[in-house]
Amino acid sequence: MPKTHGWPKKLLLILFWILIWQICSMAVKSQILLVGPLETLRSFSVQLFLPDFWAALGFSFGRICLGFFLAFFAGLVTGACAYWKPLIGEFLDPPIQFMKSIPVASFVILALFWTGAENLSIFISFIVVYPMIHVNTLAGLLSADPKLLEMARIFRVPVWKQAVYIYRGALYPYLKSACRTALGMGLKSGIAAEVIGVPDGSIGEGLYLSKIYLDTADLFAWTITIILISVIFEKGILLLLYLAAGKEAEYDSVKTEN
C-alpha cells in the first residue's frame, strides 16, 4: 500500500486554516453567524457523551452504508453484464444517465412518497453511488490488456481465472477512483436527504434542529462529525478494496509513482 507521508505539512495547513477560522469568528463577533473553533470543539465534546448522538450516528451511518454497499455490488454486477453483453449496457444507459443528471432534491421529494423518511438515506445514497460504480466497472473491464485476454483465450483459461488474474488488476484503479468520489457524494447526499425528510433520531434531524434553534456551535459540531465519518469510511473502504485487489494493487501503486 502506498506510504503515507507529508503529515507534518498537512497538520500545519490544517492549523493555519483553523487560525483563519478563529480570526474570522472574532471579526464577525456573532455566535449565530460564525462560531469559533473552540466553541465548536466544546459543543462536539458535549455531544460525545450523549446517548442520542451515538444513536443518530448509528441510524444515519448504518443506512447510508447499506445504500452504498447495495449500489457498489449492483454496479459491479451490471457493469460486468454490460461488458459481456453490450446490449445490456445499451438497455441500462438511459436510466443511468437519468440518475446521473436529475437533481438530488427531486429524488428526495419523490423518495419521501416511495420509501418514507426512515429509509430515505438508503435510497438516495444508492441512487447517487450506483451510476459511478457501474460506469467505472465497465471502463475498468474495457481497459484490460487485450494481449493477455487473447493469450487466455488461446490457452483456454477459465473465466474465473481471467477475472482473478487479469480483470481484477484492470478494475482496481477505476474502482478506487470511483469509491473516492462516490463515498463522499453518497454520504453528503444521504445526510442532505435526512435534513429534508427529517427522520426521527438521525443526523439530519440534529442538523435541522440546530438550524431551528440557531445553535451554530451544534451545527458545526455535527458537520465535524460528518467529516470524520467520511474520512474513516473512505479509508476503510479503500483498505478493503486494496486487500481485495492483492498484488495487482501493489503493481498499480508502483506504476502510478513512476
Side-chain angles (χ1 to χ4, degrees):
M1 198 169 185
K3 293 182 179 180
T4 304
H5 51 80
W7 275 108
K9 182 179 178 181
K10 291 181 180 179
L11 182 59
L12 286 174
L13 288 172
I14 292 171
L15 291 174
F16 170 78
W17 285 109
I18 290 176
L19 179 61
I20 296 296
W21 175 12
Q22 178 64 37
I23 293 171
C24 292
S25 175
M26 292 170 65
V28 172
K29 296 181 180 178
S30 173
Q31 295 295 308
I32 295 177
L33 293 178
L34 183 61
V35 70
L38 293 178
E39 291 78 8
T40 300
L41 182 60
R42 188 179 300 112
S43 178
F44 180 71
S45 301
V46 171
Q47 292 276 13
L48 287 175
F49 294 97
L50 298 177
D52 289 346
F53 171 81
W54 294 103
L57 210 61
F59 179 95
S60 298
F61 186 59
R63 281 162 172 74
I64 292 171
C65 278
L66 178 59
F68 174 84
F69 284 116
L70 288 174
F72 183 84
F73 290 113
L76 278 178
V77 171
T78 59
C81 290
Y83 173 75
W84 294 111
K85 298 292 181 181
L87 181 61
I88 296 177
E90 294 175 10
F91 179 77
L92 291 173
D93 190 58
I96 287 174
Q97 292 299 326
F98 176 76
M99 283 186 277
K100 287 169 63 178
S101 59
I102 191 170
V104 174
S106 300
F107 263 133
V108 171
I109 294 169
L110 288 171
L112 277 171
F113 294 108
W114 299 338
T115 64
E118 186 175 346
N119 297 314
L120 185 60
S121 53
I122 300 175
F123 181 79
I124 295 302
S125 59
F126 178 92
I127 291 297
V128 169
V129 172
Y130 169 72
M132 300 182 197
I133 302 299
H134 172 90
V135 170
N136 280 274
T137 296
L138 179 57
L141 293 173
L142 289 171
S143 73
D145 191 337
K147 293 180 181 179
L148 290 176
L149 293 174
E150 182 64 26
M151 183 179 67
R153 280 191 288 269
I154 291 172
F155 289 98
R156 298 181 181 179
V157 177
V159 174
W160 70 269
K161 284 190 176 181
Q162 293 182 38
V164 171
Y165 297 108
I166 300 176
Y167 289 112
R168 184 175 61 162
L171 265 177
Y172 175 72
Y174 286 86
L175 287 181
K176 180 181 177 182
S177 176
C179 283
R180 277 183 166 165
T181 304
L183 285 165
M185 290 295 295
L187 186 63
K188 288 187 287 187
S189 300
I191 298 297
E194 288 184 347
V195 173
I196 296 173
V198 198
D200 293 336
S202 66
I203 292 177
E205 183 189 34
L207 289 169
Y208 181 78
L209 291 176
S210 299
K211 185 200 77 168
I212 293 296
Y213 295 116
L214 301 177
D215 191 347
T216 310
D218 200 24
L219 177 64
F220 276 43
W222 278 115
T223 304
I224 289 175
T225 302
I226 295 167
I227 293 171
L228 291 175
I229 291 172
S230 180
V231 171
I232 295 169
F233 191 30
E234 178 183 324
K235 296 296 183 184
I237 293 299
L238 291 180
L239 177 61
L240 290 175
L241 196 61
Y242 169 81
L243 294 174
K247 292 183 179 180
E248 286 77 4
E250 295 177 7
Y251 173 72
D252 173 69
S253 299
V254 172
K255 185 170 64 174
T256 303
E257 290 175 0
N258 295 333

